[in-house]
C-alpha cells in the first residue's frame, strides 16, 4: 500500500467527499429485488468493522469505495446489523464510519428505504454526507433466527466504510479455586528442613581463652568454635 503524505491524502479525501460524493446525495433509491435478497445476498465478514474497534493509523483502513452495489449481510461475530446510533470517528476499522440514520424493518420480509450517514470527525452531528440504502428483515428457516440484509452503495471516497453493530460478548465468570491441602504440607516440610539445617550449623562460641606461646614470646587470644 503506497503511503501518501498527510497533506496530499487529506486534499484527496476532501476532493472525493465534496465532489464525487454529490452523486449519492438526494438520489431516491428503489431497492431492486430480482430474487429474494435473503437468499442471494453476499456476505461481509470483517471483525474490524465493529464499532468497538478503534482504527490505528499504522494499519490500512477499511474502505468501501470499490464495493459493488448490491445486497449484503454482515456475518462476522461482532454483529450483523448496521448501527442506528452514531459511531465515533476512527472506529469500525476506518476513518469515517458509516451508520444508518433510520429504523430497521420490524416484520420479516419487510423492506424499507433507509439513510446511511458518514461520520467524518462528527461534522454535521455525524452525518457529513448521506447515502440512500435499503434494509430487509429475514428469517433463517433452520434456526428461526432473524437477521438483516442491506442494499449498499459505495461511498466513492476513502477512508469510509459501513459499520457493524457492536456485539456484546458474554463474560466468563471467574473461577474460585479453593486452597489445596497439599500446599500447607509442603510448607511444613520445608520449614522442618530449614530448622534441621540451622541446628546442624549452630555455632557455639567458647569464652575467650588466653594462651602463652613461650616458644615465640607471642601472646595471642584465640576463640574456639565447636
Amino acid at each position: 500500500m503506497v503511503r501518501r503524505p498527510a497533506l496530499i491524502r487529506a486534499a484527496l479525501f476532501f476532493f472525493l467527499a465534496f465532489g464525487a460524493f454529490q452523486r449519492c446525495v438526494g438520489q431516491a433509491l428503489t431497492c431492486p429485488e430480482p430474487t429474494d435478497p435473503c437468499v442471494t445476498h453476499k456476505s461481509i465478514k470483517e471483525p474490524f468493522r465493529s464499532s468497538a474497534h478503534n482504527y490505528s493509523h499504522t494499519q490500512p483502513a477499511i474502505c468501501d469505495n470499490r464495493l459493488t452495489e448490491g445486497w449484503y449481510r454482515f456475518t462476522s461475530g461482532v454483529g450483523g446489523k448496521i448501527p442506528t446510533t452514531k459511531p465515533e470517528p476512527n472506529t469500525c476499522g476506518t476513518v469515517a464510519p458509516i451508520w444508518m440514520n433510520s429504523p430497521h424493518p420490524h416484520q420479516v420480509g419487510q423492506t424499507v428505504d433507509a439513510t446511511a450517514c458518514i461520520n467524518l470527525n462528527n461534522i454535521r452531528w455525524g452525518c457529513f454526507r448521506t447515502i440512500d440504502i435499503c434494509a430487509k428483515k429475514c428469517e433463517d428457516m433452520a434456526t428461526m433466527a432473524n437477521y438483516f440484509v442491506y442494499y449498499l452503495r459505495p461511498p466513492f471516497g476513502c477512508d469510509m466504510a459501513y459499520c457493524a453493530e457492536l456485539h456484546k460478548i458474554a463474560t466468563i465468570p471467574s473461577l474460585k479455586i479453593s486452597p489445596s491441602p497439599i500446599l500447607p504440607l509442603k510448607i511444613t516440610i520445608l520449614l522442618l528442613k530449614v530448622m534441621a539445617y540451622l541446628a546442624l550449623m549452630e555455632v557455639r562460641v567458647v569464652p575467650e581463652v588466653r594462651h602463652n606461646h613461650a616458644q615465640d614470646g607471642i601472646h595471642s587470644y584465640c576463640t574456639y568454635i565447636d
Side-chain angles (χ1 to χ4, degrees):
M1 180 178 179
V2 179
R3 294 288 183 182
R4 303 183 183 90
L7 292 177
I8 297 178
R9 186 178 179 86
L12 179 61
F13 183 91
F14 280 97
F15 170 77
L16 291 172
F18 286 101
F21 239 126
Q22 295 178 359
R23 297 167 53 189
C24 65
V25 178
Q27 295 180 1
L29 176 65
T30 301
C31 304
E33 295 187 37
T35 57
D36 186 2
C38 293
V39 180
T40 59
H41 59 265
K42 298 178 182 178
S43 295
I44 296 178
K45 189 175 183 180
E46 289 175 317
F48 290 156
R49 289 182 181 268
S50 167
S51 56
H53 176 72
N54 294 322
Y55 164 64
S56 172
H57 291 273
T58 60
Q59 300 293 331
I62 301 175
C63 185
D64 286 338
N65 68 324
R66 295 186 178 181
L67 185 73
T68 303
E69 185 174 326
W71 288 97
Y72 291 89
R73 177 186 177 186
F74 295 94
T75 57
S76 173
V78 299
K81 294 174 63 179
I82 296 179
T84 54
T85 56
K86 180 194 68 175
E88 290 301 315
N90 297 307
T91 57
C92 305
T94 190
V95 175
I98 303 174
W99 56 290
M100 197 168 83
N101 194 17
S102 302
H104 282 82
H106 298 289
Q107 299 178 357
V108 174
Q110 180 185 7
T111 302
V112 297
D113 295 336
T115 300
C117 285
I118 300 132
N119 184 8
L120 176 62
N121 293 329
N122 287 321
I123 300 175
R124 295 182 180 178
W125 302 277
C127 202
F128 172 65
R129 285 290 185 271
T130 60
I131 307 175
D132 294 322
I133 64 173
C134 294
K136 183 174 183 176
K137 188 172 185 178
C138 305
E139 184 178 56
D140 190 326
M141 300 305 295
T143 61
M144 304 301 292
N146 296 330
Y147 61 92
F148 294 94
V149 294
Y150 303 90
Y151 191 87
L152 304 180
R153 304 169 71 191
F156 305 107
C158 282
D159 295 315
M160 307 173 187
Y162 289 95
C163 247
E165 188 178 37
L166 172 63
H167 177 69
K168 295 182 180 180
I169 302 175
T171 56
I172 302 175
S174 58
L175 298 177
K176 295 183 178 180
I177 303 175
S178 58
S180 172
I182 301 177
L183 185 59
L185 178 61
K186 289 184 178 181
I187 296 177
T188 303
I189 294 175
L190 179 62
L191 291 175
L192 290 175
K193 288 183 178 180
V194 172
M195 293 174 64
Y197 176 78
L198 293 177
L200 291 175
M201 298 299 294
E202 181 181 3
V203 178
R204 292 183 299 170
V205 180
V206 178
E208 190 176 66
V209 179
R210 185 174 181 176
H211 292 268
N212 182 15
H213 296 272
Q215 67 276 15
D216 54 10
I218 301 175
H219 295 278
S220 64
Y221 292 88
C222 300
T223 300
Y224 290 89
I225 300 177
D226 289 341

